[in-house]
Amino acid sequence: EPEVTQTPSHQVTQMGQEVILRCVPISNHLYFYWYRQILGQKVEFLVSFYNNEISEKSEIFDDQFSVERPDGSNFTLKIRSTKLEDSAMYFCASTGLTGGPADTQYFGPGTRLTVL
Amino acid sequence: GENVEQHPSTLSVQEGDSAVIKCTYSDSASNYFPWYKQELGKRPQLIIDIRSNVGEKKDQRIAVTLNKTAKHFSLHITETQPEDSAVYFCAASKAAGFQKLVFGTGTRLLVSP
């Protein structure tokens, strides 16, 4: 069964540094999402992306965050200047052709970001 | 915006017992309600979902019920097994187009042998 993949599995960075988290969605999916989960808390929506543009973003997704689909397979989340409170597990997800609620969101294994 | 409340936060049962987790949502426009199971350090995985035109859905030992009027939905696990131990998240999503999932706060289920 196809799966969403993410790299790296764990990223440690110094406060103020830039990080790029990478995701490879399922190959025929067109809708992509980033979520984050602070340790012990719920999963929170960050941003959704379709047709090379952001469809929706949450209040967490401020100017320090950006997303990109640099080629036909990768989907990236960039944090320009990391803060301690950015430490969390970041999940990428993708859905199929219609993008409506009938489509299951498949989650990647996550990238654990630790900001020191 | 949508807000999803989930109870209880922890649930301990003996193997073979049933477990029930309840969620309420605030936005009447939500019409898709998935349940995800997350094992420690792993990704959330969909276990069952329900759409608002259906009141109940069952898949082997798990079932989900939806009450649109009261805006709440529940996960029922029967004949629990130790491998059911995990954190369970409910979520809600709106009807049309390309919609995010809004998650509940999670329920840690512990099934003791």
Side-chain angles (χ1 to χ4, degrees):
Chain A
E1 185 179 323
E3 286 190 333
V4 177
T5 59
Q6 290 183 243
T7 55
S9 57
H10 192 188
Q11 173 94 46
V12 181
T13 189
Q14 295 290 326
M15 191 168 55
Q17 295 296 303
E18 175 184 286
V19 295
I20 297 176
L21 311 182
R22 291 183 167 80
C23 168
V24 179
I26 293 172
S27 64
N28 64 344
H29 285 185
L30 299 175
Y31 297 81
F32 315 116
Y33 312 77
W34 283 101
Y35 293 84
R36 81 171 186 189
Q37 185 178 32
I38 294 170
L39 188 64
Q41 297 186 22
K42 68 178 178 181
V43 178
E44 300 175 288
F45 169 77
L46 292 178
V47 65
S48 54
F49 190 87
Y50 169 69
N51 200 25
N52 286 318
E53 60 182 31
I54 290 173
S55 297
E56 185 178 359
K57 58 184 180 179
S58 71
E59 57 272 15
I60 302 168
F61 194 89
D62 62 22
D63 292 344
Q64 293 302 310
F65 291 85
S66 62
V67 288
E68 193 178 35
R69 187 153 164 83
D71 53 43
S73 59
N74 289 283
F75 178 50
T76 62
L77 174 69
K78 182 193 289 187
I79 308 175
R80 248 180 289 280
S81 177
T82 49
K83 307 186 202 56
L84 295 175
E85 53 265 37
D86 292 328
S87 295
M89 181 75 93
Y90 288 80
F91 291 105
C92 173
S94 68
T95 59
L97 297 177
T98 67
D103 289 306
T104 299
Q105 288 194 24
Y106 292 92
F107 281 75
T111 293
R112 180 165 297 287
L113 177 65
T114 302
V115 182
L116 302 176
Chain B
E2 174 67 279
N3 183 48
V4 178
E5 302 276 344
Q6 184 172 346
H7 299 281
S9 56
T10 58
L11 180 58
S12 293
V13 299
Q14 292 292 121
E15 183 176 1
D17 289 349
S18 294
V20 180
I21 303 170
K22 298 180 179 180
C23 288
T24 59
Y25 61 99
S26 61
D27 192 338
S28 56
S30 291
N31 80 342
Y32 173 64
F33 307 94
W35 284 89
Y36 284 83
K37 176 183 180 182
Q38 186 178 33
E39 295 175 3
L40 191 63
K42 302 279 183 69
R43 75 186 81 192
Q45 294 205 297
L46 180 77
I47 54 171
I48 196 167
D49 57 16
I50 192 167
R51 290 161 180 76
S52 61
N53 58 345
V54 174
E56 183 172 357
K57 183 177 178 181
K58 191 172 181 180
D59 182 5
Q60 299 183 337
R61 295 187 297 108
I62 59 173
V64 57
T65 58
L66 171 65
N67 183 326
K68 281 178 59 180
T69 305
K71 290 192 278 191
H72 66 70
F73 56 112
S74 301
L75 177 72
H76 304 252
I77 307 174
T78 58
E79 300 171 30
T80 53
Q81 300 165 2
E83 51 265 37
D84 294 329
S85 297
V87 178
Y88 291 80
F89 289 97
C90 62
S93 177
K94 288 186 186 175
F98 175 42
Q99 297 294 341
K100 66 187 178 193
L101 293 174
V102 178
F103 283 85
T105 47
T107 296
R108 182 172 302 280
L109 174 65
L110 177 62
V111 181
S112 302

